Structure formats: C-alpha cells, structure tokens
Amino acid sequence: MSRAGLLSIEDLGRQGIVEILHLADSFAEVSERSIPKVPALRGKTVATVFFESSTRTRLSFEAAAKRLSADTMTFTAATSSVTKGESLRDTVETIDALGVDVMVVRHGSSGAPAQVARWVEAYVVNAGDGQHEHPTQALLDCFTLREAMARRAGADPVDDLAGVRIAIVGDVRHSRVARSCVLAFRALGARVVLVGPPTLLPPTTEGWGVEVVHDLDTALDEVDVCYLLRLQSERLREALLPSLGEYSERYGLTRERARRLDPDLLVMHPGPMIRGVEIAAEIASSPRSLVTRQVHNGVAVRMAVLFRLLAGDLRAPFPGMPAGAGAVEPAVRVTGGARSG
Ligand code: NCD
C-alpha cells in the first residue's frame, strides 16, 4: 500500500481542507510569538527535494519544519549527482535511506511526486509537479482569502468561501497552481471563472465546474477576487502568445485597468510575479493585494500539513485514505509539545 502523503487537493476533500485551515489558525498564532517555535515534531526530519527552481515554496517548507522543531535536509538537483546522471529513483531512495520522515518534492514532470511516493517510505508532499498540482499553494490561498474576507466582515474567519467569486487569470493551461486552486476554492463553495486566451486555457474544462471567459474586463466586473497567474514561459512550448505586450494589454492587471476596478476587488498572485506583464508594480504593492499575506501565511499552512502528517505517526492522515488515524486536537498538540517516536 502506498502511504503517500499530500499529492493532490483531492487527497483532502472539503473536510480535510477545513481541518488544515483550523490547524493553520493555531500555527499562525505560534508564528506571532517572540520565539515562534514549538517542539511538536522534534526528532522528525523533513527533506526538501527540488528538481525545479523555487524561492518561496522551499523556504516556506523549511521555515515550517524548523518552527515545528523538525530537522531539515535540502536537496537541489543542480548541485547533486543528478548532474552525473543519477536517476530519480536512485536519488530519492538515497535520500529515503538517510532516514527522512517527509519528502517535499518539486519536479517538472506531472505525476513525479506520486511515483516517488511508491518508491520511498517517507511521506511525500507535492510542492508542484509539472502542470499538475501544487496543493499547499492552494491551501495557503484558501487560508489567505478566508482571512481577508473575515477582516472585511470584521468577524472571525468562517470555514468556507461560499458566495465568493474568483477569477483565475492567465496561463491556466500550464499552471499547477490553477488546478489545485480550482479544486480547493470549489470545495469550499467559491465560484470560479477562468480567464485567458483560448491558447492558454486547458483544451477542455469539462468536469472542472468553472465558467470560462475570454475578456478580462467582463470578468472583473463580476468577481470579488482576481487571481493572476505567471506566464509559464518554461512550459510554453509553442508560440501560444502573439507578444508579451499584447498579452499584458489584454490579460494583465495594468495601471489603466486598475483605475476602473471596484475598490473592494482583491488581487492575488502565487509568485514569482513578472511585474509589468501580468501585474503592474503599483498594484502588486497596493492595499488590495494579498500577495505578501499569501507568502506569510504559507508557513503556518505548511506547518499544519507537516504536523497533520507526522504528529502521532499517522499512517492515514487525510480523509479519502484508509482509516487508522485518530482525530487530531490541534490546540492540545500544538501547545502540548513533542510526541517523539
Ligand atoms: C508557483 C509554482 O512554482 O508552481 N510558484 C509558487 O510555488 N509560489 C507558480 C509559478 O511558478 O508561476
């Protein structure tokens, strides 16, 4: 049996997402302390295993592991024996043999983390695989949106995003973030519209449960949130775009477009942002932008994921996987300290 970990938002379902959000609430509180650290995962080891570049995702997982007092290991393909021809299987089996509890895997091929999970003993967390999924990005986006909605309502965060309308704009076709976000936003009750030129939208969206619109201005009139995607230039194999300038004019949140926006419209971006292409610099740093909150909240959300996998040595951590895991009481475990073994 594969005891995989977190490979897709589908491993969680609505109940699993809500559980992670609640746990992340507790860890967000830990992050505000003068010493933002709890001993919850003392004795555990988390390895980040990245075959593609990353700034925020890797640093965020490492910060999360450290705040839970886990040990960390860092593998970067560019400085490893992969450059000497070592295979993916040999590489991850080697890391596994060092005795790690979680491997956080990023890879350019869709499905690579699932394959790794079949080879190793450690839990695998998908930190972005090709054009497939990036589940922890979607979780931190749900957390951030829920926080922003609560702040606006002057109330505590609620569990769902019911009634929230979200436009996901740009290169949806090549975006793993978009796939995970559609699944997560919809699971929490939000309405999602995909916006982009036909060449940058998936060939079919049947079963996605989303609307598709090709005109950004029409979409922006009807949504609460504009979620911009980076153009995945490393995955754009054919000439799918006339020019960056034309793309920006039609699908970028330009300064001119921003002047016409509803003052309440929120803007999100998973980063890295290409300022001047999908987003004007001043919008990225304006009060309507949640970009910094997204990065900030990523640590608490990833603490929640690591904790949910490892605390109590769960073997079936998420709904949808075989039973065997007891309910986790976040408050008790977070403040109660380490469970070694
Ligand atoms: C994304 C990724 O790598 O999938 N970035 C991230 O993890 N925050 C999005 C992107 O590269 O465009």
Side-chain angles (χ1 to χ4, degrees):
M1 183 189 77
S2 125
R3 24 162 269 175
L6 177 58
L7 301 174
S8 159
I9 284 293
E10 281 173 335
D11 294 339
L12 292 169
R14 180 192 164 91
Q15 184 201 334
I17 296 172
V18 169
E19 225 172 89
I20 294 290
L21 298 180
H22 286 177
L23 261 176
D25 284 334
S26 311
F27 289 122
E29 183 270 313
V30 169
S31 298
E32 303 305 321
R33 295 183 194 166
S34 54
I35 301 175
K37 208 165 168 129
V38 285
L41 297 186
R42 207 161 50 192
K44 303 289 187 188
T45 302
V46 175
T48 50
V49 182
F50 278 48
F51 294 86
E52 260 194 2
S53 356
S54 166
T55 300
R56 68 215 84 223
T57 304
R58 182 157 66 204
L59 288 175
S60 178
F61 268 108
E62 288 176 359
K66 286 182 174 140
R67 286 186 194 174
L68 293 166
S69 305
D71 294 321
T72 54
M73 285 184 200
T74 305
F75 164 92
T76 311
T79 53
S80 74
S81 295
V82 167
T83 59
K84 300 178 189 165
E86 190 164 38
S87 70
L88 174 62
R89 182 168 191 159
D90 286 340
T91 303
V92 294
E93 285 183 353
T94 300
I95 297 167
D96 203 36
L98 293 169
V100 307
D101 298 287
V102 176
M103 270 187 225
V104 178
V105 178
R106 168 168 289 192
H107 200 284
S109 297
S110 304
Q115 183 57 55
V116 170
R118 285 181 212 113
W119 290 327
V120 301
E121 281 294 303
Y123 287 121
V124 174
V125 176
N126 179 1
D129 61 333
Q131 302 171 200
H132 176 229
E133 277 217 47
H134 190 352
T136 59
Q137 178 69 43
L139 291 169
L140 73 88
D141 290 331
C142 290
F143 187 89
T144 303
L145 254 183
R146 172 177 164 270
E147 174 188 71
M149 293 297 163
R151 190 168 298 158
R152 180 168 290 175
D156 285 339
V158 292
D159 286 346
D160 61 24
L161 298 173
V164 180
R165 297 160 305 169
I166 305 167
I168 300 183
V169 182
D171 186 4
V172 179
R173 184 182 203 140
H174 301 101
S175 173
R176 52 202 180 203
V177 172
R179 274 169 190 73
S180 288
C181 280
V182 167
L183 289 169
F185 292 158
R186 289 202 56 247
L188 295 186
R191 276 180 43 202
V192 180
V193 49
L194 304 181
V195 188
T199 49
L200 293 182
L201 291 173
T204 172
T205 50
E206 212 182 302
W208 286 47
V210 294
E211 280 171 66
V212 174
V213 168
H214 299 300
D215 180 60
L216 178 58
D217 296 302
T218 311
L220 289 178
D221 282 343
E222 300 189 349
V223 295
D224 306 292
V225 182
C226 175
Y227 192 112
L228 296 159
L229 299 169
R230 182 178 64 88
L231 272 179
Q232 305 278 300
S233 42
E234 69 276 35
R235 290 180 242 284
L236 285 173
R237 289 195 188 89
E238 313 128 51
L240 298 175
L241 274 182
S243 73
L244 277 188
E246 193 173 319
Y247 175 83
S248 180
E249 199 177 301
R250 292 197 57 198
Y251 294 104
L253 216 42
T254 56
R255 224 171 16 175
E256 297 67 44
R257 196 162 264 127
R259 279 197 213 105
R260 303 196 295 267
L261 293 178
D262 181 326
D264 282 342
L265 182 99
L266 297 169
V267 175
M268 301 178 80
H269 193 303
M273 289 184 283
I274 313 300
R275 291 176 190 243
V277 177
E278 64 259 5
I279 189 164
E282 55 266 65
I283 301 170
S285 339
S286 71
R288 66 163 88 242
S289 162
L290 300 179
V291 172
T292 311
R293 287 310 291 171
Q294 288 172 271
V295 177
H296 177 85
N297 289 332
V299 179
V301 168
R302 289 175 173 125
M303 286 170 84
V305 168
L306 295 175
F307 180 83
R308 189 73 184 85
L309 284 167
L310 288 179
D313 201 16
L314 306 180
R315 278 294 173 270
F318 295 123
M321 300 179 72
V328 175
E329 270 303 323
V332 175
R333 298 274 175 85
V334 175
T335 53
R339 281 174 65 105
S340 56

PDB file of all heavy atoms in Angstrom, residues 56-57 106 134 137 176-177 230 232 270-272, ligand 1:
ATOM      1  N   ARG A  56      10.058  30.852  -2.723  1.00  0.00           N
ATOM      2  CA  ARG A  56       9.171  30.884  -1.544  1.00  0.00           C
ATOM      3  C   ARG A  56       8.724  29.511  -1.082  1.00  0.00           C
ATOM      4  O   ARG A  56       8.619  29.274   0.119  1.00  0.00           O
ATOM      5  CB  ARG A  56       7.991  31.839  -1.787  1.00  0.00           C
ATOM      6  CG  ARG A  56       7.006  31.435  -2.805  1.00  0.00           C
ATOM      7  CD  ARG A  56       6.452  32.618  -3.574  1.00  0.00           C
ATOM      8  NE  ARG A  56       7.344  32.950  -4.659  1.00  0.00           N
ATOM      9  CZ  ARG A  56       7.692  34.171  -4.996  1.00  0.00           C
ATOM     10  NH1 ARG A  56       7.194  35.183  -4.365  1.00  0.00           N
ATOM     11  NH2 ARG A  56       8.524  34.372  -5.997  1.00  0.00           N
ATOM     12  N   THR A  57       8.446  28.592  -2.013  1.00  0.00           N
ATOM     13  CA  THR A  57       7.903  27.308  -1.563  1.00  0.00           C
ATOM     14  C   THR A  57       8.929  26.563  -0.713  1.00  0.00           C
ATOM     15  O   THR A  57       8.614  26.056   0.365  1.00  0.00           O
ATOM     16  CB  THR A  57       7.461  26.454  -2.773  1.00  0.00           C
ATOM     17  OG1 THR A  57       6.528  27.216  -3.531  1.00  0.00           O
ATOM     18  CG2 THR A  57       6.808  25.164  -2.326  1.00  0.00           C
ATOM     19  N   ARG A 106       9.411  18.740  -5.496  1.00  0.00           N
ATOM     20  CA  ARG A 106       9.022  19.546  -6.672  1.00  0.00           C
ATOM     21  C   ARG A 106       9.720  18.962  -7.882  1.00  0.00           C
ATOM     22  O   ARG A 106      10.916  18.656  -7.833  1.00  0.00           O
ATOM     23  CB  ARG A 106       9.415  21.003  -6.490  1.00  0.00           C
ATOM     24  CG  ARG A 106       9.292  21.790  -7.785  1.00  0.00           C
ATOM     25  CD  ARG A 106       9.384  23.262  -7.601  1.00  0.00           C
ATOM     26  NE  ARG A 106       8.193  23.793  -6.953  1.00  0.00           N
ATOM     27  CZ  ARG A 106       7.910  25.097  -6.869  1.00  0.00           C
ATOM     28  NH1 ARG A 106       8.736  25.976  -7.377  1.00  0.00           N
ATOM     29  NH2 ARG A 106       6.814  25.505  -6.277  1.00  0.00           N
ATOM     30  N   HIS A 134      -0.298  21.790  -7.149  1.00  0.00           N
ATOM     31  CA  HIS A 134       0.571  22.433  -6.151  1.00  0.00           C
ATOM     32  C   HIS A 134      -0.330  22.638  -4.922  1.00  0.00           C
ATOM     33  O   HIS A 134      -0.744  23.758  -4.622  1.00  0.00           O
ATOM     34  CB  HIS A 134       1.085  23.749  -6.722  1.00  0.00           C
ATOM     35  CG  HIS A 134       2.157  24.416  -5.926  1.00  0.00           C
ATOM     36  ND1 HIS A 134       2.560  23.983  -4.683  1.00  0.00           N
ATOM     37  CD2 HIS A 134       2.924  25.508  -6.204  1.00  0.00           C
ATOM     38  CE1 HIS A 134       3.519  24.779  -4.238  1.00  0.00           C
ATOM     39  NE2 HIS A 134       3.755  25.700  -5.138  1.00  0.00           N
ATOM     40  N   GLN A 137       0.045  25.386  -2.134  1.00  0.00           N
ATOM     41  CA  GLN A 137      -0.205  26.759  -2.599  1.00  0.00           C
ATOM     42  C   GLN A 137      -1.712  27.045  -2.516  1.00  0.00           C
ATOM     43  O   GLN A 137      -2.126  28.095  -2.036  1.00  0.00           O
ATOM     44  CB  GLN A 137       0.299  26.930  -4.038  1.00  0.00           C
ATOM     45  CG  GLN A 137       0.027  28.312  -4.626  1.00  0.00           C
ATOM     46  CD  GLN A 137       0.853  29.415  -3.970  1.00  0.00           C
ATOM     47  OE1 GLN A 137       2.035  29.233  -3.724  1.00  0.00           O
ATOM     48  NE2 GLN A 137       0.239  30.553  -3.676  1.00  0.00           N
ATOM     49  N   ARG A 176      -0.018  24.507 -12.553  1.00  0.00           N
ATOM     50  CA  ARG A 176      -0.387  23.561 -11.487  1.00  0.00           C
ATOM     51  C   ARG A 176      -1.110  24.286 -10.360  1.00  0.00           C
ATOM     52  O   ARG A 176      -1.961  23.716  -9.678  1.00  0.00           O
ATOM     53  CB  ARG A 176       0.856  22.864 -10.956  1.00  0.00           C
ATOM     54  CG  ARG A 176       1.975  23.839 -10.539  1.00  0.00           C
ATOM     55  CD  ARG A 176       3.304  23.135 -10.540  1.00  0.00           C
ATOM     56  NE  ARG A 176       4.418  23.980 -10.166  1.00  0.00           N
ATOM     57  CZ  ARG A 176       5.667  23.710 -10.512  1.00  0.00           C
ATOM     58  NH1 ARG A 176       5.945  22.658 -11.245  1.00  0.00           N
ATOM     59  NH2 ARG A 176       6.651  24.478 -10.108  1.00  0.00           N
ATOM     60  N   VAL A 177      -0.758  25.562 -10.165  1.00  0.00           N
ATOM     61  CA  VAL A 177      -1.428  26.350  -9.122  1.00  0.00           C
ATOM     62  C   VAL A 177      -2.917  26.461  -9.455  1.00  0.00           C
ATOM     63  O   VAL A 177      -3.784  26.265  -8.594  1.00  0.00           O
ATOM     64  CB  VAL A 177      -0.800  27.753  -8.999  1.00  0.00           C
ATOM     65  CG1 VAL A 177      -1.614  28.636  -8.071  1.00  0.00           C
ATOM     66  CG2 VAL A 177       0.635  27.652  -8.493  1.00  0.00           C
ATOM     67  N   ARG A 230       1.338  33.474 -13.258  1.00  0.00           N
ATOM     68  CA  ARG A 230       2.531  33.798 -14.040  1.00  0.00           C
ATOM     69  C   ARG A 230       2.460  33.069 -15.380  1.00  0.00           C
ATOM     70  O   ARG A 230       1.975  31.935 -15.442  1.00  0.00           O
ATOM     71  CB  ARG A 230       3.789  33.342 -13.283  1.00  0.00           C
ATOM     72  CG  ARG A 230       5.094  33.666 -13.973  1.00  0.00           C
ATOM     73  CD  ARG A 230       6.271  33.226 -13.114  1.00  0.00           C
ATOM     74  NE  ARG A 230       6.307  31.782 -12.920  1.00  0.00           N
ATOM     75  CZ  ARG A 230       6.908  30.919 -13.743  1.00  0.00           C
ATOM     76  NH1 ARG A 230       7.518  31.344 -14.821  1.00  0.00           N
ATOM     77  NH2 ARG A 230       6.897  29.616 -13.488  1.00  0.00           N
ATOM     78  N   GLN A 232       3.857  30.726 -17.741  1.00  0.00           N
ATOM     79  CA  GLN A 232       4.836  29.654 -17.502  1.00  0.00           C
ATOM     80  C   GLN A 232       5.755  29.525 -18.718  1.00  0.00           C
ATOM     81  O   GLN A 232       5.633  28.563 -19.490  1.00  0.00           O
ATOM     82  CB  GLN A 232       4.097  28.339 -17.239  1.00  0.00           C
ATOM     83  CG  GLN A 232       3.074  28.428 -16.106  1.00  0.00           C
ATOM     84  CD  GLN A 232       3.735  28.277 -14.748  1.00  0.00           C
ATOM     85  OE1 GLN A 232       4.345  27.261 -14.457  1.00  0.00           O
ATOM     86  NE2 GLN A 232       3.617  29.299 -13.911  1.00  0.00           N
ATOM     87  N   PRO A 270       0.446  33.856  -6.991  1.00  0.00           N
ATOM     88  CA  PRO A 270       1.241  32.895  -6.215  1.00  0.00           C
ATOM     89  C   PRO A 270       2.726  33.232  -6.185  1.00  0.00           C
ATOM     90  O   PRO A 270       3.471  32.668  -5.383  1.00  0.00           O
ATOM     91  CB  PRO A 270       1.021  31.572  -6.974  1.00  0.00           C
ATOM     92  CG  PRO A 270       0.735  31.994  -8.385  1.00  0.00           C
ATOM     93  CD  PRO A 270       0.007  33.310  -8.287  1.00  0.00           C
ATOM     94  N   GLY A 271       3.148  34.169  -7.066  1.00  0.00           N
ATOM     95  CA  GLY A 271       4.575  34.438  -7.202  1.00  0.00           C
ATOM     96  C   GLY A 271       5.244  33.285  -7.944  1.00  0.00           C
ATOM     97  O   GLY A 271       4.698  32.197  -7.986  1.00  0.00           O
ATOM     98  N   PRO A 272       6.370  33.483  -8.541  1.00  0.00           N
ATOM     99  CA  PRO A 272       7.010  34.778  -8.745  1.00  0.00           C
ATOM    100  C   PRO A 272       6.220  35.644  -9.738  1.00  0.00           C
ATOM    101  O   PRO A 272       5.725  35.130 -10.729  1.00  0.00           O
ATOM    102  CB  PRO A 272       8.386  34.396  -9.311  1.00  0.00           C
ATOM    103  CG  PRO A 272       8.206  33.022  -9.892  1.00  0.00           C
ATOM    104  CD  PRO A 272       7.133  32.356  -9.118  1.00  0.00           C
TER     105      PRO A 272
HETATM  106  C1  NCD B   1       4.358  28.629  -8.489  1.00  0.00           C
HETATM  107  C2  NCD B   1       4.979  27.335  -8.928  1.00  0.00           C
HETATM  108  O1  NCD B   1       6.191  27.174  -8.940  1.00  0.00           O
HETATM  109  O2  NCD B   1       4.205  26.470  -9.238  1.00  0.00           O
HETATM  110  N1  NCD B   1       5.068  29.369  -7.576  1.00  0.00           N
HETATM  111  C3  NCD B   1       4.967  29.052  -6.265  1.00  0.00           C
HETATM  112  O3  NCD B   1       5.195  27.953  -5.874  1.00  0.00           O
HETATM  113  N2  NCD B   1       4.571  30.036  -5.451  1.00  0.00           N
HETATM  114  C4  NCD B   1       3.844  29.435  -9.590  1.00  0.00           C
HETATM  115  C5  NCD B   1       4.739  29.778 -10.711  1.00  0.00           C
HETATM  116  O4  NCD B   1       5.882  29.372 -10.825  1.00  0.00           O
HETATM  117  O5  NCD B   1       4.248  30.501 -11.579  1.00  0.00           O
END
